[in-house]
Amino acid sequence: MSHTASSTVADRALLVAGTSRMAEAIRAHAWVGTSLGAIGSWSDTLLTQVNLVLCCPFPASLSWGDELLLFCNDAAIEVLGERSGSALGCSYRDVFREAWKVQGTEIEDCFASGHASKHDNVLMALGQGPNWDDRYWEYLLMPVHEDGQVVGVLSIFQDTTGAVLSKLRLVRERADLLALFEQAPVTISVMEGPEHVYQRVNQTHRMMIGTRDVLGKRVIDAIPEAEEQGYLQILNEVYRTGKAHREGGRRLRLQRAPGHDPEVLYVDFVYQPLRDVDGRVCGIISLGIDVSERQRAEEALIQAEKLAAVGRLASSIAHEINNPLAAAVNYLYLAEMSEDLGEIRQYLSVVERELKRVSAISGQTLLSQKQAMSLSSIDVQELVESILPLYLGPIRNAKVTVETRYRAERPLVCAEGEIRQVLGNLLSNAIDAMHEAGGRLVVRGAEVTDWTTGDKVHRMTVADTGGGILPELMKDIFKPFFTTKGFAGNGLGLWICEEITARHHGRIRVRSNPKGSVFTVSLPRIPDQKRV
């Protein structure tokens, strides 16, 4: 080769661009001992591809010829590690022996078909030895053509291990959060939008509501009871104002299975507004705890306390009565022993005063202390008409209209004072049921045939157009101390009514719905005097 030709070949080596570490290594490498020969003999295609690899900002390699001789850039040095100095000009198969198990078929296919391929987050080692860990890679394989033939494969790759592990960690964390959400011992639900569409509920929530499938449904459609019990109004208010709502021991009536009677639960709950990235309310998170057992325990305790209070009241009454009775007995004894008429009158006057004290104490406890009374005959109409005037004030205040009807030819034989007490209680309850919105009070009296016995009975009816009694409460309304009036009621009225009616060999019945209640008292025309 002439000096000029030799210079031309040497000058051609300078076409390997750049001053990077791998550019210097390529220019200094003994290529003469390889199938490629000296750089000066390389084709324009090979030089172009080598420079493309050296200029690539990402880790890149070029596998050339059938031997897949390796070129790479500085960005790939970190991937090659200690092998970066000896990898240059070696076969890709040997340098990346572990990776070849994954990539071999893909690279060979690229040579054979000339088709490029992209691969995301592939787990493999791009090296060998104890210091190489399996990592995740994203890489692109592109064929290099020369004279219509594939002569090499260009590979651009990137380590995505951090991103993949971060994503896996997020997935695991999300799975852990979902597991906590699902297994939480409190009810959790997420509702979206102003119509409160269920997006997610946990197992505890599903157990509380029973067999209903609520996902994707509005609260009003999934649990229609929520509206009439005021829960929907609370949700609307939380969504409108963005202020959380907390409440403890609130009553919740649910039909937990089709065809079953509604069940009464008591819940502590929080409705928390859910906000989007802009801070606007986009939904509501509901957290709740079923405290029904606690509530029932508290009610049982209250019941026990009421009974204890009655016992204390009875003891107090006995003590109060005992004092005037003892005094009366003493003064009667003195009167009996005295022979002075003036002194006897004085003693009897004291006795009269003490007995009046006993009468006053008894009168104050009339509602809870039953007394046997003599029977008398009274016209039903006369009985009712004598009681109604006592309630004219409450009737006017509640804006209630009164209707009466009587169809009884014969008088009712009863303990008049007790039956007055029954009718008074029923009238008072009916007026109370209508005190907010007014309504119509219907009182009827008739002599009818009891078809269960065939006997003639007097039937008195007190009906109202109030809100009615909830079905699940019907079984308890005649129990002592059970009341729907809260602290305004003592829970004795209907219990006393049933006791009095039973002593008269009669029956008291009730029908109720959201439009009102109807109480009927059926009494035999002439009861067994021994039991009254």
Side-chain angles (χ1 to χ4, degrees), residues 48 62 88 100 129 226 250 260 285 289 335 341 528:
T48 300
L62 174 65
L88 188 62
W100 187 259
R250 187 180 177 99
H260 288 63
I285 301 174
I289 302 176
L341 185 59
D528 183 354

Side-chain angles (χ1 to χ4, degrees), residues 14-318:
L14 297 177
L15 294 178
V16 175
T19 59
S20 67
R21 176 179 169 182
M22 289 307 297
E24 295 289 351
I26 291 171
R27 284 193 289 265
H29 191 73
W31 295 104
V32 174
T34 70
S35 60
L36 294 180
I39 295 176
S41 64
W42 290 0
S43 67
D44 290 342
T45 303
L46 177 55
L47 281 170
T48 300
Q49 293 301 316
V50 168
N51 286 330
L52 179 62
V53 167
L54 291 174
C55 295
C56 183
F58 300 103
S61 68
L62 174 65
S63 303
W64 190 263
D66 295 338
E67 297 174 87
L68 298 179
L69 298 183
L70 182 66
F71 298 85
C72 60
N73 62 2
D74 281 16
I77 291 176
E78 185 177 349
V79 176
L80 290 168
E82 296 178 355
R83 294 184 58 83
S84 62
S86 60
L88 188 62
C90 295
S91 173
Y92 189 100
R93 296 182 183 90
D94 298 329
V95 176
F96 295 114
R97 188 174 301 165
E98 294 300 320
W100 187 259
K101 297 175 183 178
V102 177
Q103 290 184 303
T105 303
E106 298 167 357
I107 293 176
E108 289 175 348
D109 181 66
C110 188
F111 262 101
S113 66
H115 293 154
S117 61
K118 183 178 183 299
H119 306 271
D120 297 322
N121 303 323
V122 178
L123 181 63
M124 62 182 178
L126 288 184
Q128 57 187 353
N131 297 326
W132 287 91
D133 297 326
D134 284 345
R135 301 182 70 79
Y136 291 91
W137 300 91
E138 179 182 274
Y139 58 93
L140 179 65
L141 299 176
M142 295 178 291
V144 177
H145 293 84
E146 187 177 57
D147 298 330
Q149 300 293 321
V150 176
V151 293
V153 174
L154 178 64
S155 176
I156 300 175
F157 49 96
Q158 187 171 2
D159 186 346
T160 60
T161 304
V164 171
L165 294 181
S166 178
K167 184 177 181 180
L168 290 174
R169 185 165 52 252
L170 288 175
V171 170
R172 284 195 299 269
E173 289 175 355
R174 185 173 186 271
D176 291 342
L177 287 174
L178 288 176
L180 289 173
F181 174 90
E182 188 66 20
Q183 299 171 28
V186 300
T187 67
I188 308 176
S189 62
V190 180
M191 294 158 279
E192 187 178 81
E195 294 195 331
H196 321 301
V197 177
Y198 278 109
Q199 296 300 312
R200 188 178 294 278
V201 297
N202 71 344
Q203 177 66 19
T204 306
H205 190 281
R206 290 193 293 272
M207 291 174 62
M208 183 182 75
I209 63 175
T211 59
R212 307 182 193 209
D213 179 15
V214 301
L215 291 181
K217 298 178 181 177
R218 301 182 304 168
V219 168
I220 193 171
D221 298 325
I223 307 178
E225 305 99 310
E227 181 175 21
E228 64 185 35
Q229 297 178 72
Y231 285 89
L232 190 59
Q233 292 87 329
I234 298 174
L235 286 171
N236 290 337
E237 187 68 10
V238 171
Y239 193 90
R240 184 183 67 83
T241 65
K243 296 180 180 178
H245 180 93
R246 296 171 176 84
E247 198 163 338
R250 187 180 177 99
R251 191 171 178 277
L252 174 62
R253 190 178 76 257
L254 281 175
Q255 186 180 23
R256 302 174 74 178
H260 288 63
D261 292 334
E263 298 180 37
V264 175
L265 306 175
Y266 294 90
V267 292
D268 293 346
F269 69 94
V270 178
Y271 286 156
Q272 181 71 32
L274 180 65
R275 299 181 183 274
D276 60 20
V277 293
D278 297 321
R280 293 173 296 194
V281 176
C282 60
I284 293 175
I285 301 174
S286 170
L287 303 176
I289 302 176
D290 185 345
V291 295
S292 300
E293 291 186 8
R294 184 192 74 188
Q295 187 73 18
R296 294 185 183 103
E298 290 177 355
E299 290 177 353
L301 179 61
I302 293 172
Q303 185 82 341
E305 289 176 348
K306 286 183 177 181
L307 289 171
V310 170
R312 291 192 296 270
L313 177 62
S315 176
S316 175
I317 292 172

Side-chain angles (χ1 to χ4, degrees), residues 245-471:
H245 180 93
R246 296 171 176 84
E247 198 163 338
R250 187 180 177 99
R251 191 171 178 277
L252 174 62
R253 190 178 76 257
L254 281 175
Q255 186 180 23
R256 302 174 74 178
H260 288 63
D261 292 334
E263 298 180 37
V264 175
L265 306 175
Y266 294 90
V267 292
D268 293 346
F269 69 94
V270 178
Y271 286 156
Q272 181 71 32
L274 180 65
R275 299 181 183 274
D276 60 20
V277 293
D278 297 321
R280 293 173 296 194
V281 176
C282 60
I284 293 175
I285 301 174
S286 170
L287 303 176
I289 302 176
D290 185 345
V291 295
S292 300
E293 291 186 8
R294 184 192 74 188
Q295 187 73 18
R296 294 185 183 103
E298 290 177 355
E299 290 177 353
L301 179 61
I302 293 172
Q303 185 82 341
E305 289 176 348
K306 286 183 177 181
L307 289 171
V310 170
R312 291 192 296 270
L313 177 62
S315 176
S316 175
I317 292 172
H319 175 76
E320 292 295 324
I321 290 178
N322 184 63
N323 290 334
L325 285 179
V329 170
N330 289 334
Y331 278 105
L332 284 175
Y333 174 77
L334 292 175
E336 183 180 4
M337 299 299 295
S338 177
E339 296 181 356
D340 185 331
L341 185 59
E343 193 176 62
I344 292 172
R345 287 177 177 173
Q346 183 180 356
Y347 291 150
L348 292 178
S349 176
V350 174
V351 169
E352 181 182 14
R353 185 179 70 245
E354 294 302 314
L355 291 178
K356 285 182 178 179
R357 285 181 58 196
V358 172
S359 177
I361 294 170
S362 299
Q364 291 172 1
T365 58
L366 179 62
L367 288 177
S368 58
Q369 303 297 315
K370 310 298 184 296
Q371 299 178 356
M373 301 178 67
S374 60
L375 299 179
S376 60
S377 297
I378 185 169
D379 182 76
V380 173
Q381 180 175 352
E382 180 184 335
L383 177 64
V384 174
E385 295 295 341
S386 67
I387 297 173
L388 280 174
L390 302 177
Y391 296 93
L392 286 179
I395 287 172
R396 290 196 189 99
N397 292 337
K399 298 179 181 179
V400 170
T401 59
V402 181
E403 298 178 12
T404 58
R405 183 187 301 172
Y406 310 103
R407 292 188 295 105
E409 297 179 357
R410 288 176 289 187
L412 171 66
V413 178
C414 62
E416 181 181 339
E418 290 194 340
I419 300 304
R420 283 179 178 274
Q421 189 174 346
V422 171
L423 290 175
N425 271 320
L426 296 181
L427 289 170
S428 177
N429 288 345
I431 296 168
D432 286 345
M434 298 182 287
H435 77 281
E436 291 186 353
R440 188 162 57 99
L441 173 64
V442 178
V443 185
R444 296 175 180 172
E447 191 175 359
V448 299
T449 300
D450 185 341
W451 299 110
T452 61
T453 62
D455 297 331
K456 288 288 186 179
V457 297
H458 280 279
R459 180 165 295 163
M460 291 169 286
T461 302
V462 177
D464 64 72
T465 57
I469 304 168
L470 294 174

